Amino acid sequence: MNDSARTVTRHYARAGSLAQRLLDIAHGLARDDRLTVDDLAPLDQFHMRGAEATVEFAEMVKPQPGTVCVDLGCGIGGPARWLAINCGVEVLGLDLTESYCHDAAALTAAVGLAGQARFACADATRLPLAEDSVDLVWTQHAAMNVPDKAAMYREVYRVLKRGGRLALHDIMAGPDGPPHFPVPWARGPEGSFLLPSGEVRRLLAEAGLSELVWHDHTADALAWVHRRRAALQAGEPRPPGPHLFLGEAFQDMAANLGRSLEDGRITVHMALLQKP
Ligand SMILES: C[S@@+](CC[C@H](N)C(=O)[O-])C[C@H]1O[C@@H](n2cnc3c(N)ncnc32)[C@H](O)[C@@H]1O
């Protein structure tokens, strides 16, 4: 593992094993003894707009039942479980942070989906997968931690079947300077590797992927930040989220995410590309 990968995994693994803490909170919030993917969803989706964005992303991508899907940078497996149960796909979640892969497997077993979503530790720039073997590569908010995005997209191209698709939902650089650190994906610039969307599109094309759809969701993300802030200022209780087990440090990071959006320092995009 190189220095930047060590910085990234140290950042995510700092809170230790998350599965049991998350399950305890989810049991407290659930209406039933038997936990479901929906009970975990407010807690296990580590990206802007949480489960709401995953639903919107899936509406755009329309994953087909029975297809093989790889979730690249799967975190603790929230999106992978959501895809398995709602779209009927078979998911392999891959993530650089080893403890997250264990958490993802434990949470998936707890909701009875171990047969439909599996997890393994791997680097997005060196995928342990055969050429032409995957129908859909799905990735949400992972590329911002990957310094060599050209290598990541070349690997995606290699493992996709002909006609297979890459669905990406990522934070990218804004025009007005670097993000306000710390942010949820990095304590400082040494762990954050954002590129402007134009540069990302160029790298994807160079890797051989054809663009089918590209949506800039920065305005939606900003509206979400403003809605949440207004609700808190109006005295509404904070909705359940990862802050419940990641603590106060996470709240500061989330606040910096909002400020970075407002100041034009980050942008948010969803896109669909295809291996011709
Ligand atoms: C912000 S989390 C997003 C997790 C998940 N996609 C989600 O939306 O809930 C970013 C994840 O990317 C993973 N990651 C960062 N760099 C990676 C790399 N080079 N290869 C694979 N995973 C990586 C991190 O370990 C972390 O789990």
Side-chain angles (χ1 to χ4, degrees):
M1 200 181 270
N2 59 29
D3 282 352
S4 59
R6 255 191 297 276
T7 303
V8 168
T9 54
R10 253 202 308 265
H11 170 72
Y12 286 109
R14 73 193 184 284
S17 173
L18 300 178
Q20 195 51 52
R21 270 181 277 165
L22 196 153
L23 286 172
D24 291 344
I25 294 165
H27 274 294
L29 298 169
R31 271 165 292 176
D32 210 300
D33 272 357
R34 232 179 109 245
L35 276 189
T36 66
V37 167
D38 285 345
D39 293 325
L40 302 186
L43 307 168
D44 65 5
Q45 310 264 333
F46 287 180
H47 51 257
M48 183 83 78
R49 295 198 291 132
E52 171 186 317
T54 302
V55 174
E56 219 173 276
F57 194 34
E59 278 164 5
M60 183 186 101
V61 178
K62 297 187 177 49
Q64 293 304 304
T67 56
V68 177
C69 171
V70 168
D71 183 358
L72 215 45
C74 63
I76 60 171
R81 282 183 291 279
W82 192 94
L83 281 169
I85 193 90
N86 290 293
C87 303
V89 296
E90 195 186 303
V91 190
L92 171 63
L94 297 175
D95 201 282
L96 191 62
T97 304
E98 199 166 358
S99 61
Y100 274 14
C101 299
H102 297 306
D103 288 329
L107 294 168
T108 302
V111 293
L113 281 177
Q116 283 158 265
R118 293 174 300 120
F119 300 92
C121 190
D123 188 329
T125 61
R126 281 191 308 275
L127 297 178
L129 298 168
E131 255 174 55
D132 301 331
S133 60
V134 176
D135 297 298
L136 175 65
V137 174
W138 168 285
T139 183
Q140 291 183 273
H141 288 41
M144 62 241 194
N145 284 129
V146 179
D148 190 353
K149 284 185 234 311
M152 173 174 172
Y153 300 142
R154 276 198 303 271
E155 275 294 82
V156 169
Y157 179 90
R158 183 182 67 76
V159 304
L160 279 177
K161 295 177 186 170
R162 301 214 165 273
R165 298 174 305 155
L166 164 65
L168 68 82
H169 172 208
D170 280 332
I171 292 181
M172 297 180 196
D176 295 324
H180 298 293
F181 289 107
V183 281
W185 67 92
R187 289 186 169 213
E190 67 286 354
S192 177
F193 308 98
L194 302 184
L195 291 178
S197 59
E199 182 68 5
V200 172
R201 288 166 101 158
R202 191 182 64 74
L203 292 177
L204 288 162
E206 263 180 26
L209 294 160
S210 310
E211 193 176 299
L212 302 176
V213 182
W214 192 283
H215 286 309
D216 184 332
H217 279 275
T218 310
D220 300 325
L222 205 45
W224 179 78
V225 166
H226 289 157
R227 267 199 316 276
R228 281 172 71 101
R229 197 179 288 159
L232 288 179
Q233 280 165 358
E236 288 179 28
R238 190 183 288 277
H243 61 276
L244 292 176
F245 51 93
L246 293 178
E248 232 164 75
F250 179 79
Q251 298 212 36
D252 291 343
M253 293 176 183
N256 281 340
L257 186 66
R259 279 208 305 139
S260 300
L261 261 174
E262 282 173 322
D263 293 351
R265 290 162 179 264
I266 57 172
T267 58
V268 188
H269 303 262
M270 286 185 187
L272 192 57
L273 300 106
Q274 188 165 42
K275 177 168 172 175

